[in-house]
Amino acid sequence: MAARRSDLKALLARRTLIVAPGAYDALSARMIAAHGFPAIYLTGYGTTASLLGRPDIGFITLPDLCGVVRAICQTIDVPVIADAESGFGNAVNLTRTVREYEMAGAAAIHLEDQVVPKRYGGQETPQVVPAEEHAARIRLAVRTRRSDRFLIIGRTDCLPRLGLTEAIRRGNQYRAAGADIVFVHGISTPEELREVGKEVRGPKLVNYSALTLSSQDAPPSFGDLRRWGYSIVILAIEPLFAAARAANGALAALLRCAKESGCPAGDLRALMMPKGEFEAFLAPQDYRGLEDAHLPREP
């Protein structure tokens, strides 16, 4: 686990853009790692949808998310950047949150300055706590962690409600409070991207999904993001939405087959990833050697 956290610090030191697609369970994380991405982002939105089948309005708990982090970190060696919501309570509760994520194996967590509990329908303009209150929480998180290889990301969600100037001010305040990385959430235009990149100090993270969903224009390239000062780009929902679209299409086709009293086997196979290709992501060969070495041979 310490090696994974160290890897993220080493990646940041290279000053190349770290692209981290969003995972929502251990299988999606294994697929991301198998494709060679240098880091994984554990999405609270996606995990709430996948694990609970509910919207992202505060249903997910600390044990829920840390359980997924632990499952991911026990199966892959890629650093995990995890959503830690607002810390799951007040400043005292935050100390447990930091320790639990660190022990689960996360390389970094981001802590947002939203008011808790969230209200459904207010996601576009979330309410936020005073900046100094969240800065104090960042300072406490930094003091609580056992290793400085476990990175704290200060996130502000104030941009839609309070504007770009306040978002930049908060980002710098959270950086001054000890955040290793700053995350201004809700950026939706290239102009906002460039301004945050120029004015916010230190390493910065940006959510590419927000850019692709909020504008009909082509989003900036990853090369643009690096030139504008960003260190990490997360693609929080792309794997989840792609999987949901594929599953939904396959189920619709299966329903048509059921209503038509069956489909040719070839039609069903066309809907699915081949079994061998799927099982390759699960790496069964890692366990066959253990079976051969430690289990009695079958008679």
Side-chain angles (χ1 to χ4, degrees):
M1 291 181 181
R4 280 193 290 270
R5 290 193 279 268
S6 179
D7 285 347
L8 186 59
K9 288 200 76 170
L11 288 171
L12 284 171
R14 294 178 189 173
R15 300 186 179 277
T16 57
L17 189 68
I18 301 167
V19 179
Y24 46 90
D25 59 14
L27 175 61
S28 58
R30 292 198 75 142
M31 296 179 77
I32 293 167
H35 279 86
F37 287 96
I40 287 169
Y41 174 65
L42 178 68
T43 159
Y45 176 99
T47 305
T48 301
S50 175
L51 188 64
L52 304 179
R54 296 179 183 271
D56 185 24
I57 55 172
F59 289 111
I60 203 78
T61 66
L62 174 62
D64 291 334
L65 280 170
C66 281
V68 178
V69 170
R70 192 172 293 109
I72 291 172
C73 291
Q74 287 176 357
T75 57
I76 63 169
D77 293 320
V78 176
V80 175
I81 302 163
D83 185 349
E85 302 287 326
S86 298
F88 298 99
N90 61 25
V92 175
N93 304 129
L94 176 63
T95 61
R96 182 191 175 207
T97 296
V98 171
R99 293 282 174 83
E100 291 288 342
Y101 273 94
E102 190 171 12
M103 288 188 296
I109 58 171
H110 66 67
L111 297 165
E112 64 195 34
D113 57 7
Q114 286 194 42
V115 168
V116 177
K118 299 177 182 179
R119 295 182 63 183
Y120 193 65
Q123 294 289 336
E124 296 305 316
T125 56
Q127 294 179 319
V128 292
V129 301
E132 181 49 47
E133 178 180 334
H134 195 60
R137 292 158 65 85
I138 296 291
R139 287 191 289 270
L140 179 59
V142 171
R143 289 200 300 271
T144 300
R145 64 184 176 184
R146 288 188 166 93
S147 170
D148 63 3
R149 292 177 174 176
F150 177 66
L151 305 184
I152 304 297
I153 302 169
R155 166 175 158 169
T156 180
D157 288 69
C158 78
L159 196 157
R161 182 177 290 266
L162 302 180
L164 183 60
T165 299
E166 176 63 8
I168 290 171
R169 188 188 74 81
R170 286 185 179 230
N172 283 323
Q173 186 170 356
Y174 301 161
R175 173 68 174 171
D180 301 286
I181 302 163
V182 173
F183 177 12
V184 175
H185 190 265
I187 295 174
S188 60
T189 68
E191 292 73 26
E192 290 174 343
L193 269 174
R194 285 192 290 267
E195 197 68 14
V196 169
K198 181 176 69 173
E199 298 296 337
V200 174
R201 295 185 291 274
K204 289 167 285 292
L205 179 151
V206 63
N207 182 7
Y208 203 74
S209 304
L211 297 171
T212 58
L213 291 175
S214 62
S215 175
Q216 297 300 317
D217 298 329
S221 69
F222 289 169
D224 290 333
L225 296 178
R226 178 65 261 180
R227 285 191 296 274
W228 295 343
Y230 292 91
S231 301
I232 302 172
V233 55
I234 60 173
L235 298 101
I237 51 121
E238 280 78 358
L240 172 66
F241 281 20
R245 182 174 188 175
N248 199 49
L251 289 168
L254 290 173
L255 181 61
R256 288 194 299 272
C257 287
K259 290 180 177 179
E260 296 168 5
S261 301
C263 292
D267 292 346
L268 294 178
R269 284 194 295 267
L271 299 174
M272 301 181 295
M273 178 181 286
K275 183 173 183 288
E277 186 178 341
F278 177 84
E279 289 192 342
F281 291 111
L282 306 179
Q285 68 278 2
D286 293 349
Y287 305 98
R288 289 181 185 137
L290 292 174
E291 290 180 345
D292 293 341
H294 300 287
L295 297 181
R297 295 185 180 278
E298 294 183 8

